[in-house]
Amino acid sequence: MAIERIGVIGAGTMGNGIAHVFARSGFDVVLCDVEQRFLDRGLATVAKNLDREVAKNKISVENKTATLARIAPVVDRGRLAECDLVIEAATEKFEIKAEIFRELDRLVKPEVILASNTSSISITKIGALTGRADRVIGMHFFNPVPVMKLVEVIRGLATSQATFETVKELAVKLEKTPVEVNDAPGFVSNRVLMPLLNEAMYAVMEGVATAEAVDEVFKLGMAHPMGPLTLADFIGLDVCLDIMRVMQEGLGDPKYRPCPLLIKMVDAGRLGRKSGRGFYSYS
């Protein structure tokens, strides 16, 4: 089956980035969210990021116009029935993803692949909610999606080789580098990264150093482009907490226990860049 029209559920940071790269690569995209204001915000972000690409001579003004024209914003999930592949990029909570995949399984054609951009939740568990577990797969993009080359391609227990090959080839068409990963909490990227961020939070909580000092150590001593606490703010502290809890529950090891400071900050609404305040303040 030729894949020409892509559905994307969620117009937030990851969803609009995924829509951006598919549309820029010539695919028609149906971008779906629950409210028009979320779609408007997502499309504004796509337009702004395309302007940056024009300014850097990566694409032409005509390419920008054509890319935006390929994205159809919708609030009706029924419109996804016309898609050849659908990628879910909703909140990192299993209950929300479960509802979406159950509905998608009813809506789209039997041969359609359903992918999740989840950064930690079991693809096997998601696939088992559908009648097409062999055509459910993880397609984990990285933020900012138009810039970052990596896509973790995650097989569930039942994911077929044909599904894997199709998604791998699709990632290459987007000029991304697909890396095969088996299904485990946090996959590779977040299983290694999130404990690092979590431990940096413990260092602040225990008074070992300030957030600024922790970040300077990693930037100057380990050549990281940004420190772990700046990165946590960029990802979203609520997302970090959700991922740590998935790994704690799925792996059963106390080393994945979320830092109490992280829990407290999320409870206080200090979520990082998106809320204006996390470990740092953002105007």
Side-chain angles (χ1 to χ4, degrees):
M1 172 176 151
I3 296 178
E4 298 175 350
R5 182 174 284 106
I6 305 294
V8 179
I9 294 186
T13 300
M14 297 306 296
N16 71 60
I18 293 167
H20 176 147
V21 296
F22 272 104
R24 187 180 61 190
S25 297
F27 294 88
D28 292 325
V29 178
V30 178
L31 180 60
C32 183
D33 212 318
V34 293
E35 293 185 31
Q36 186 62 43
R37 64 191 175 100
F38 299 143
L39 292 166
D40 293 341
R41 188 186 308 157
L43 288 173
T45 299
V46 173
K48 182 171 68 174
N49 289 336
L50 287 168
D51 282 335
R52 287 199 186 101
E53 293 177 356
V54 171
K56 293 178 180 178
N57 294 316
K58 292 184 175 180
I59 63 171
S60 67
V61 174
E62 291 76 19
N63 289 149
K64 173 199 168 182
T65 302
T67 295
L68 287 171
R70 292 188 192 104
I71 303 174
V74 303
V75 292
D76 176 16
R77 279 191 199 163
R79 292 282 301 278
L80 296 167
E82 61 201 55
C83 294
D84 305 314
L85 180 144
V86 181
I87 302 172
E88 168 272 319
T91 304
E92 192 71 355
K93 294 188 183 298
F94 176 74
E95 297 76 14
I96 292 173
K97 295 182 186 298
E99 183 272 325
I100 290 171
F101 273 83
R102 287 191 187 102
E103 184 172 13
L104 286 175
D105 194 36
R106 294 193 299 268
L107 281 175
V108 302
K109 292 170 283 193
E111 65 270 24
V112 168
I113 292 171
L114 301 179
S116 176
N117 183 59
T118 179
S119 52
S120 61
I121 295 172
S122 169
I123 298 302
T124 299
K125 192 173 179 181
I126 291 172
L129 300 169
T130 73
R132 65 181 81 205
D134 60 318
R135 290 182 296 285
V136 174
I137 195 167
M139 200 174 187
H140 181 208
F141 291 83
F142 289 76
N143 185 30
V145 180
V147 176
M148 301 297 278
K149 291 296 185 183
L150 175 63
V151 178
E152 279 185 312
V153 182
I154 303 113
R155 296 174 181 266
L157 188 62
T159 304
S160 70
Q161 184 64 25
T163 296
F164 173 79
E165 293 295 340
T166 298
V167 169
K168 180 180 175 182
E169 290 169 12
L170 199 57
V172 171
K173 287 179 182 177
L174 300 178
E175 299 182 352
K176 303 296 185 187
T177 302
V179 175
E180 180 180 356
V181 178
N182 288 320
D183 194 19
F187 314 128
V188 170
S189 57
N190 283 317
R191 182 165 179 173
V192 175
L193 175 64
M194 284 299 159
L196 168 63
L197 272 54
N198 198 54
E199 198 62 31
M201 296 170 196
Y202 270 109
V204 173
M205 185 185 78
E206 294 170 2
V208 177
T210 65
E212 292 82 359
V214 170
D215 280 352
E216 282 297 289
V217 166
F218 278 86
K219 287 190 292 182
L220 300 178
M222 289 78 171
H224 288 202
M226 68 174 74
L229 300 171
T230 300
L231 179 56
D233 274 358
F234 183 70
I235 293 168
L237 299 185
D238 54 335
V239 175
C240 294
L241 179 57
D242 285 341
I243 294 170
M244 288 303 299
R245 283 174 167 161
V246 167
M247 293 196 297
Q248 182 185 30
E249 179 182 352
L251 297 167
D253 192 318
K255 72 181 179 182
Y256 298 109
R257 180 173 70 95
C259 176
L261 177 59
L262 172 61
I263 297 170
K264 188 180 295 185
M265 290 175 73
V266 171
D267 286 345
R270 291 175 55 174
L271 309 181
R273 280 185 176 273
K274 61 186 170 186
S275 71
R277 190 175 181 194
F279 284 93
Y280 300 95
S281 293
Y282 305 90
S283 55

